[in-house]
Amino acid sequence: MGFGGMLSMEQSENSIELDHLAVSGETLEEAVAHVEDALGVSMRAGGVHPHFGTHNRLLGLGDGLYLEAIAKDPSVGTLEHPRWFDLDRFQGHPRLGNWICRVADLEAAVSSLPSSVGRPVALSRGDLRWRMAVPDDGILPCDGCFPALIEWQSRDTPGAMLSASGCRLVRLEVAHPEANWIAKTLGFSDPRVIYVTGPRALRATFDTPHGPRVLE
């Protein structure tokens, strides 16, 4: 990857935790249907993100985690900057496209990582306030397999506020030819997150009211 000499998140002493997963679609309806068909539960209302021209719906996973279905908001025209999660170029079937990790100090986190992880952008939705590291081109490293980093600035977060859906994350498989680089650079340890060297893919396994289910 050519990022030698960068400190890992672990070395920077800025703790990192899994926050949420994002399923992208050409439309929000398609993204929501993909989640609901895979997990057998209904998603909850979300909202809009004016800065990036997107909208979403949410699903509580317990343990402070949640799942987001996201797509371009058709009521928003062309933006002066790329949308996050590479949504300007998104095509094809809905899929699990990104994972997002929270940190306590976003400035410190990005300073210890490659510049391609993005720069802090201040965002809001309703009463929620947060900052997220977003690359200038909207494309996260390793074809989006490197997680987006978020710093919540609201007392409550969606993962804490959403009611339990009966679904619980068991395993998140991050597959990419540079999976070892992702793991080493993050310095992130969570028994649910597994790095696999192989073709690019994100796969999440859940316990659900209907038994084990996989979302890709």
Side-chain angles (χ1 to χ4, degrees):
M1 293 295 296
F3 296 131
M6 291 290 181
L7 294 174
S8 70
M9 287 292 298
E10 186 176 45
Q11 291 169 313
S12 72
E13 299 183 352
N14 189 17
S15 63
I16 180 171
E17 298 178 289
L18 187 59
D19 189 76
H20 68 280
L21 309 178
V23 171
S24 299
E26 290 190 10
T27 69
L28 182 57
E29 292 76 15
E30 290 176 345
V32 169
H34 183 64
V35 173
E36 294 183 343
D37 288 347
L39 303 185
V41 296
S42 298
M43 300 197 76
R44 305 295 176 86
V48 299
H49 314 106
H51 182 79
F52 285 113
T54 57
H55 54 169
N56 70 359
R57 292 187 69 180
L58 306 174
L59 184 73
L61 299 176
D63 300 323
L65 303 178
Y66 68 101
L67 180 64
E68 171 184 37
I70 189 168
K72 291 190 291 186
D73 184 343
S75 70
V76 177
T78 302
L79 301 178
E80 295 182 354
H81 49 268
R83 288 174 170 82
W84 51 4
F85 301 143
D86 199 16
L87 283 172
D88 285 315
R89 302 191 308 167
F90 187 90
Q91 293 182 323
H93 62 277
R95 52 193 177 272
L96 179 59
N98 296 92
W99 57 304
I100 299 88
C101 292
R102 60 181 175 266
V103 295
D105 185 338
L106 187 59
E107 295 284 356
V110 299
S111 70
S112 67
L113 293 170
S115 60
S116 55
V117 305
R119 56 184 177 81
V121 178
L123 300 163
S124 64
R125 182 175 69 77
D127 293 332
L128 293 172
R129 300 288 184 275
W130 72 97
R131 296 195 305 159
M132 183 174 282
V134 182
D136 289 340
D137 61 3
I139 307 171
L140 286 156
C142 297
D143 309 305
C145 277
F146 198 94
L149 300 180
I150 189 171
E151 175 191 340
W152 287 103
Q153 298 179 309
S154 306
R155 184 171 70 175
D156 294 320
T157 67
M161 293 188 295
L162 286 165
S163 58
S165 63
C167 298
R168 182 177 64 85
L169 180 68
V170 175
R171 173 187 172 103
L172 173 63
E173 183 178 309
V174 180
H176 192 271
E178 298 289 345
N180 288 337
W181 177 86
I182 297 172
K184 181 178 179 181
T185 301
L186 280 174
F188 169 50
S189 178
D190 185 315
R192 296 167 296 188
V193 179
I194 308 298
Y195 302 95
V196 178
T197 301
R200 191 261 188 232
L202 293 177
R203 301 181 186 91
T205 303
F206 298 86
D207 278 339
T208 79
H210 315 287
R213 297 286 185 93
V214 175
L215 178 65
E216 297 182 279

